[in-house]
Amino acid sequence: MRIGRIICTALLALASIGAAAQNTRSSIEIDYLHPRDYVVGGVGVEGNQYFSENQILQLSGLRQGMKVTAPGEDITGIVERLVAQRYFEDIAVVIDSLSSARDTAWFKIVIRERPRVSRWTYTGVKSGEKKDLQERLNLRPGREFSDYVKSTSVDIIKRYYKEKGYLKVDVDVDVKKDSIIRSAIRVNFDVKRGEKVRIKHINYEGIGEIKPYKLAKNMKETHANVWYNFFKSKKFKAEDYKTDRKTVLEAFNEAGYRDARLVRDSVYYIDDKHLDIDMVFDQGGKYYFRDITWTGNSVYPSEVLNGILQIQKGDVYDIVTLEKRLHGGGKQTDYDVSKLYRDNGYLFFSVTPVEVNIQNDSVDVELRISEGKPAILNDIIINGNDLTNERVIRRQVMTRPGYLFSQTDFERSIREIASMGQFDQEAAMDPARGWSILPNQLNNTVDIVYNVTEKPSSQLELSGGWGGRTFVMTAGVSFNNFSTRRMFEKGAWRPVPLGDAQNLSIRYQTNGKYYTTFSASFSEPWLFGKKPTSLSISGYYSKMTNAMSMGYYFAELLDATKSFEVYGFSAGLGTRLKWPDNYFVFYNNLSWQTYRLNDWTSYYFAFNNGTSHNISYTASLTRNSSDQQIYPRQGSEFSASLQITPPFSLFRKFTYDSDGNKVPVESYKDINYDTWTSAQRYKWIEYHKWKFSGATYTKLVGDLVLMTRAQFGFLGYFNRNWGYSPFENFQVGGDGMTGYMTYGAEIVSLRGYTDYSLTPRKITPYSQNGESYAGNLYDKFTVELRYPVILQPQSTIYALAFLEGGNCWSDFREFNPFQIKRSAGIGVRVFLPMIGLLGIDWGYGFDDASNGGSQFHFVIGQQF
């Protein structure tokens, strides 16, 4: 069709030559039956407005001094070249004059340029859609307008809306002359989206024993409106459907029907908003494995490979599972033959299953292996780290130059980079953006490229808010990529030296006389540079007063004489273990705290006056194999810890008389602490505190994730006569946050109930209230269903639904793991790099009428 247009244009051009010759000079005669050769004496251009004469001459290829045949292919070629530019509506090549010898001709190219568009507009589209369309169309003012531009633009717009489910979209193109700019036009795309069309039913015929759910599961992008597709899009995309027509057959192949085929299918509208799909299958006969043999394997014997393959003679001929156990593609924890070889350097390994004999319903399979030679890691390249030092990233990766390639080490390196916190986690784990494997089979080496995308990791907090019927001001900063090594480097303070993945955090919060707290911390994840030994140091001070205990609204009633103060310091070392595996970390922490209570009347503690010292050592063992921090999809997190103080009371061999004088006793068992004052009894705090937490993440469908978590905590004593510690106990219930109580107790959230409402109280002789919180044992169980709304470096947003249960007891003898307070609800989490994790939950507590029911909870930071 295009050739026909070019021929017609050329004929018009030739006709114009004759017409021009007859009209301008009667002596110029063109004989179409006998073309002649001419030397081009000169070339002129007529009708050009936007293009210069030189530009048109360059496009045409016609220049002075060259020889052309007219009429002939030379003239046709000139027209073809100009037509191909799509800049011109009409083109004519004419002979303007001839020399006296009639062997030299002067030519003129007469053109009419296409109109230029001064403005592109859109109607019937939303502002966000308009931006997307402009990026896809890439139409700029001043561009020419042609049928090609029109048709391609309409096609792009229709394709865009069909991807959104508007299958009946129509686009009208309105062209008007610009009343201001001469020879310019305005083009408007009028989009009529129509109703969004969704798939309602997918009807399967001829499927036999295959369940419709199995077929639907294999159709990755084409989903009917049924309950198990609740979180999946019901939009119909023609291109995706073409692919799903093939993948749906995997459900038959998995059940042994190797000859299954799709006989016919049809897609049709049932109303303006819905369509149905009918699919008719011929599943054929069912087959079974008979003999399975291996060839080409020299590194591993057939027995080892069969142990991974796990397919026996007589099993259903499931070629889908066969492929997964040969090449992977199942769950991350599943081992396959390919990974067995690749973990030992055989990157160039390949295995091909071949059906060597089919008899009746039995199939003999030969697995042909090409092992190749082990691949040595050559260059490990890191791109995109504009801020973070390269050595910080290199120490995280487990692929090192000179080592054998290992698939497990490679996957672990990706996980470690994604978990650092300095880079976009989604991009780091995306095969298209996060990495490249560049093998060189000629010299048996491989290069690996890790592509990282820096994201803001530091957080600034400067806020004021109304909470607890008082105004609270907070100022804080957290630099999560700090660098002490660059502190004395010129130009590094912008505003602080960054790049070494250290953490420096400073925070101050106050509302005046009532509450003030200050904390500072520093952590170094690789203390000695070569081994993952972490160092953490923190210091803090906090003070609360009863300045508002007599009234929240009257400044003249403020009383700051009653107060609670705590200050302390802690330092810890952690190291990554090699056994049982290198996901384990053993952490040691030494801390000192001093609590000072001055007529502090509240339920928080067992006494009102006195100073207590808390010196403790904490040993914790953690294992974290989750794939990332903010929105993990798979893996697990486990932690077990013991915090212990010296058992001061076991070494004590004195008591106090009624006058406060020390009186010696034979054994610590002879001491009656009920005669001691609170200042005497609780001067040195003692306890042993055990905690366990375990969480798993399971990817269900797409990005839908199931999180399950179990927690347990127990605060024990060394001496029954001395009793439980008045500090470090558990306060259960609510959102796990508190505006004021930062130290002295561990706050445990349990949504659907008011703050601390599940914490038992015990009678105490040292408190004016007569009782205090005594949560010495708790358990908690959580199930969350999470689904992401936005997964971007600038923000991560996901919604959740939860079931939760737990309780708190004052003594181990009262513990009943089945006596839990249950709740359920929904929520949302928003992670912003400059602020951190924020969230809001609505929960309903079922088992406590006075403290449960409908509750809203606000969340700041990660909850455990």
Side-chain angles (χ1 to χ4, degrees), residues 666-812:
E666 292 186 3
S667 171
Y668 69 87
K669 298 179 181 179
D670 299 328
I671 301 175
N672 181 9
Y673 287 99
D674 292 338
T675 63
W676 291 32
T677 65
S678 60
Q680 295 168 341
R681 183 171 184 174
Y682 297 124
K683 181 178 181 180
W684 295 99
I685 301 301
E686 61 178 53
Y687 58 87
H688 52 90
K689 187 175 184 180
W690 305 78
K691 293 194 300 180
F692 171 81
S693 175
T696 63
Y697 304 93
T698 305
K699 188 176 181 180
L700 300 179
V701 179
D703 287 326
L704 179 65
V705 174
L706 177 69
M707 188 280 292
T708 58
R709 176 180 288 128
Q711 296 171 252
F712 173 82
F714 171 62
L715 182 70
Y717 53 74
F718 295 106
N719 186 346
R720 181 175 292 275
N721 291 337
W722 190 85
Y724 288 102
S725 168
F727 301 103
E728 298 299 327
N729 52 23
F730 307 102
Q731 296 178 10
V732 181
D735 49 30
M737 294 173 53
T738 175
Y740 314 111
M741 283 304 302
T742 309
Y743 307 103
E746 186 167 336
I747 312 299
V748 180
S749 69
L750 208 158
R751 294 164 288 189
Y753 297 91
T754 56
D755 291 345
Y756 323 137
S757 61
L758 302 182
T759 309
R761 298 179 185 180
K762 286 290 185 178
I763 297 175
T764 173
Y766 301 119
S767 174
Q768 296 179 22
N769 296 316
E771 60 181 5
S772 66
Y773 287 126
N776 299 315
L777 178 67
Y778 87 97
D779 63 7
K780 177 184 172 183
F781 307 95
T782 304
V783 177
E784 278 188 3
L785 200 62
R786 301 175 174 180
Y787 191 77
V789 179
I790 296 176
L791 294 175
Q792 298 292 336
Q794 297 80 11
S795 63
T796 298
I797 303 175
Y798 65 88
L800 60 90
F802 67 86
L803 297 173
E804 204 158 66
N807 210 344
C808 188
W809 297 267
S810 61
D811 193 273
F812 197 86

Side-chain angles (χ1 to χ4, degrees), residues 576-715:
R576 182 187 295 168
L577 304 181
K578 295 182 179 179
W579 186 89
D581 61 38
N582 56 11
Y583 286 107
F584 281 90
V585 175
F586 185 70
Y587 192 78
N588 304 270
N589 186 73
L590 188 64
S591 68
W592 157 74
Q593 288 177 312
T594 294
Y595 304 97
R596 185 174 294 150
L597 284 76
N598 179 26
D599 200 20
W600 184 249
T601 55
S602 72
Y603 295 107
Y604 291 124
F605 308 116
F607 63 99
N608 302 137
N609 288 281
T611 299
S612 298
H613 303 285
N614 179 9
I615 299 176
S616 66
Y617 165 75
T618 302
S620 64
L621 182 66
T622 64
R623 186 184 189 274
N624 185 349
S625 63
S626 59
D627 57 349
Q628 56 172 279
Q629 293 178 339
I630 306 303
Y631 190 78
R633 296 176 176 83
Q634 55 192 5
S636 61
E637 300 170 1
F638 293 96
S639 173
S641 67
L642 169 62
Q643 184 178 0
I644 190 170
T645 65
F648 298 104
S649 67
L650 300 184
F651 307 126
R652 194 173 288 142
K653 291 188 177 182
F654 66 86
T655 186
Y656 290 98
D657 60 19
S658 58
D659 296 325
N661 299 315
K662 289 185 178 181
V663 178
V665 295
E666 292 186 3
S667 171
Y668 69 87
K669 298 179 181 179
D670 299 328
I671 301 175
N672 181 9
Y673 287 99
D674 292 338
T675 63
W676 291 32
T677 65
S678 60
Q680 295 168 341
R681 183 171 184 174
Y682 297 124
K683 181 178 181 180
W684 295 99
I685 301 301
E686 61 178 53
Y687 58 87
H688 52 90
K689 187 175 184 180
W690 305 78
K691 293 194 300 180
F692 171 81
S693 175
T696 63
Y697 304 93
T698 305
K699 188 176 181 180
L700 300 179
V701 179
D703 287 326
L704 179 65
V705 174
L706 177 69
M707 188 280 292
T708 58
R709 176 180 288 128
Q711 296 171 252
F712 173 82
F714 171 62
L715 182 70

Side-chain angles (χ1 to χ4, degrees), residues 283-395:
Q283 62 181 12
K286 191 170 186 177
Y287 291 81
Y288 301 86
F289 284 103
R290 192 166 62 179
D291 294 331
I292 301 176
T293 56
W294 300 85
T295 61
N297 54 309
S298 61
V299 179
Y300 297 101
S302 298
E303 292 77 11
V304 173
L305 301 180
N306 283 329
I308 297 175
L309 194 64
Q310 295 182 357
I311 296 177
Q312 306 297 327
K313 184 176 182 179
D315 287 352
V316 170
Y317 188 65
D318 179 359
I319 58 176
V320 176
T321 301
L322 175 66
E323 284 293 326
K324 288 180 179 179
R325 292 176 184 172
L326 289 177
H327 301 108
K331 296 181 180 179
Q332 186 186 34
T333 54
D334 292 344
Y335 213 58
D336 55 81
V337 174
S338 178
K339 192 170 186 180
L340 173 68
Y341 273 89
R342 290 165 72 97
D343 272 352
N344 288 277
Y346 291 91
L347 176 63
F348 308 111
F349 161 88
S350 66
V351 55
T352 305
V354 179
E355 298 173 343
V356 294
N357 187 23
I358 302 175
Q359 187 174 0
N360 298 326
D361 63 351
S362 300
V363 182
D364 294 336
V365 178
E366 184 177 271
L367 302 173
R368 299 174 181 175
I369 290 178
S370 173
E371 294 176 332
K373 293 183 178 180
I376 304 296
L377 292 169
N378 185 26
D379 290 333
I380 307 300
I381 303 167
I382 297 173
N383 295 325
N385 53 315
D386 302 323
L387 180 63
T388 305
N389 292 324
E390 185 169 314
R391 64 180 184 85
V392 174
I393 307 172
R394 288 194 178 277
R395 70 192 185 191

